[in-house]
């Protein structure tokens, strides 16, 4: 009985040891986890950190400097900069999570199915992917937003359309190395269906590629959505969005510089954290960055 208990407990202990060793051996992974974790914590505690409404304008308090009431001052509409920066993190993480999850899930499914089915289906679909990847990202995004309008659902749709082809190509490349292996051939010989082989045999063999792809795409989504808001095609005012804050604050940069600097620092640190997390995971999981391709 004791031997069975020891055998059962050993894998759990070794997993914890592996995690600690991975963090010690990969400073990049550790830094990325700390930065992203801090951003998530601040976003979750936004109602506790500040009780002010990030969307309410107080014209009588416009362009205030740093004070005990407004730690980072106010913008030209009298809104607290710290409040909007903190709540902007919530919006950025929400958009990144929703858009990246949909894009990676759809791209992963298509990529694995393409690698498994091969033949004419693979050839036709990958030519379509090549055509979509040849279109500049920002141009595609602007066209979609212009046609369908802005707002969270449209942004998620746009990011899904833009990044699904890139994820498809990367996952197809990883899955193509798994499909010829014996355990997939054995599953096919047992008469298992396409979906069963996809979800039970191929997908569990490439979690590292999917995880790294998710982290990298999330960092690009955050930057892309902020760029869109800066250009006036993203979040609708007075949504606390970092790109929108930078666009609005630059007109009063010499008066209240923190109204622009605060969202820039927040955006830069989150993107750096996500990129460091992706690079750290890539190194630990043995995923070649060249295999993942470019956006």
């Amino acid at each position: 009985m004791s031997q069975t208990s020891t055998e059962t407990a050993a894998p759990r202990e070794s997993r914890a040891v592996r995690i600690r060793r991975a963090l010690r051996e990969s400073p990049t992974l550790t830094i990325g986890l700390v930065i992203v974790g801090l951003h998530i914590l601040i976003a979750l505690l936004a109602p506790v950190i500040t009780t002010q409404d990030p969307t309410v304008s107080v014209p009588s308090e416009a362009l205030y400097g740093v004070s005990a009431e407004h730690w980072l001052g106010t913008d030209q509409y009298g809104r607290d900069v710290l409040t909007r920066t903190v709540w902007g993190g919530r919006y950025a993480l929400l958009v990144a999570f929703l858009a990246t999850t949909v894009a990676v899930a759809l791209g992963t499914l298509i990529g694995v199915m393409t690698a498994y089915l091969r033949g004419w289906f693979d050839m036709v679909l990958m030519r379509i992917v090549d055509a979509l990847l040849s279109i500049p990202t920002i141009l595609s995004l602007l066209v979609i937003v212009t046609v369908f309008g802005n707002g969270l659902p449209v942004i998620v749709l746009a990011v899904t359309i833009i990044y699904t082809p890139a994820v498809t190509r990367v996952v197809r490349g990883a899955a193509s190395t798994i499909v010829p292996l014996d355990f997939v051939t054995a599953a096919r010989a047992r008469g298992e269906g396409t979906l069963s082989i996809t979800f039970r045999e191929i997908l569990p063999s490439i979690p590292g590629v999917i995880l790294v792809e998710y982290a990298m795409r999330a960092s690009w989504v955050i930057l892309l959505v902020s760029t869109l808001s800066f250009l006036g095609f993203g979040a609708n005012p007075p949504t606390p969005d970092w790109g929108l804050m930078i666009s609005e604050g630059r007109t009063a940069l010499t008066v209240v510089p923190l109204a622009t600097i605060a969202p820039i620092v927040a955006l830069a640190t989150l993107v750096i954290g996500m990129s460091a997390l992706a690079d750290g995971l890539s190194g630990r999981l043995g995923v070649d960055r060249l295999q993942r391709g470019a956006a």
Side-chain angles (χ1 to χ4, degrees):
M1 179 63 111
S2 60
Q3 183 179 358
T4 304
S5 301
T6 303
E7 293 176 353
T8 303
R12 187 177 306 171
E13 181 180 358
S14 63
R15 189 179 301 114
V17 171
R18 286 198 301 269
I19 293 174
R20 289 196 297 268
R21 185 183 301 112
L23 294 177
R24 286 196 307 267
E25 295 177 354
S26 177
T28 303
L29 177 60
T30 304
I31 292 172
L33 282 174
V34 170
I35 295 176
V36 174
L38 184 60
H39 271 277
I40 294 175
L41 181 62
I42 292 174
L44 293 175
L45 297 179
V48 179
I49 296 174
T50 174
T51 58
Q52 300 187 50
D53 192 327
T55 62
V56 174
S57 301
V58 185
S60 60
E61 298 182 359
L63 302 178
Y64 275 20
V66 176
S67 65
E69 185 179 359
H70 304 289
W71 289 8
L72 298 179
T74 62
D75 61 12
Q76 64 267 44
Y77 300 105
R79 299 171 301 200
D80 185 68
V81 173
L82 175 62
T83 300
R84 288 180 61 76
T85 302
V86 170
W87 282 89
R90 271 197 165 195
Y91 182 79
L93 289 170
L94 174 63
V95 173
F97 174 77
L98 290 177
T100 307
T101 298
V102 175
V104 171
L106 185 59
T108 297
L109 180 60
I110 297 174
V112 172
M113 295 288 290
T114 302
Y116 177 72
L117 295 176
R118 293 179 290 186
W120 67 266
F121 180 78
D122 179 29
M123 182 179 65
V124 171
L125 192 59
M126 294 314 297
R127 297 299 74 77
I128 296 175
V129 167
D130 291 339
L132 293 175
L133 288 176
S134 67
I135 303 174
T137 300
I138 192 65
L139 178 60
S140 302
L141 192 60
L142 289 176
V143 169
I144 295 171
V145 172
T146 301
V147 173
F148 295 100
N150 49 10
L152 182 59
V154 176
I155 292 175
V156 172
L157 172 64
V159 171
T160 301
I161 294 174
I162 290 169
Y163 282 137
T164 295
V167 176
T168 298
R169 173 172 288 282
V170 172
V171 173
R172 174 189 173 275
S176 296
T177 64
I178 304 298
V179 171
L181 298 182
D182 292 342
F183 66 90
V184 177
T185 303
R188 190 185 293 114
R190 291 195 301 268
E192 294 188 18
T194 300
L195 290 179
S196 175
I197 294 175
T198 297
F199 287 99
R200 296 179 58 183
E201 307 294 343
I202 302 176
L203 279 178
S205 302
I206 55 171
V209 173
I210 298 172
L211 186 59
V212 172
E213 191 70 12
Y214 188 96
M216 184 58 71
R217 298 294 168 185
S219 68
W220 292 339
V221 168
I222 293 169
L223 190 58
L224 186 62
V225 171
S226 296
T227 302
L228 195 65
S229 296
F230 178 82
L231 296 175
F233 294 94
N236 293 316
T239 303
D241 176 85
W242 289 335
L244 184 60
M245 290 177 64
I246 296 169
S247 179
E248 294 175 342
R250 64 196 172 104
T251 59
L253 183 60
T254 58
V255 182
V256 281
L258 287 178
T260 303
I261 294 175
I264 289 176
V265 172
L267 174 61
T269 54
L270 181 55
V271 172
I272 291 172
M274 292 298 298
S275 298
L277 180 61
D279 285 343
L281 288 172
S282 177
R284 294 304 305 176
L285 298 175
V287 179
D288 189 354
R289 293 190 62 178
L290 294 177
Q291 181 187 30
R292 290 188 279 118

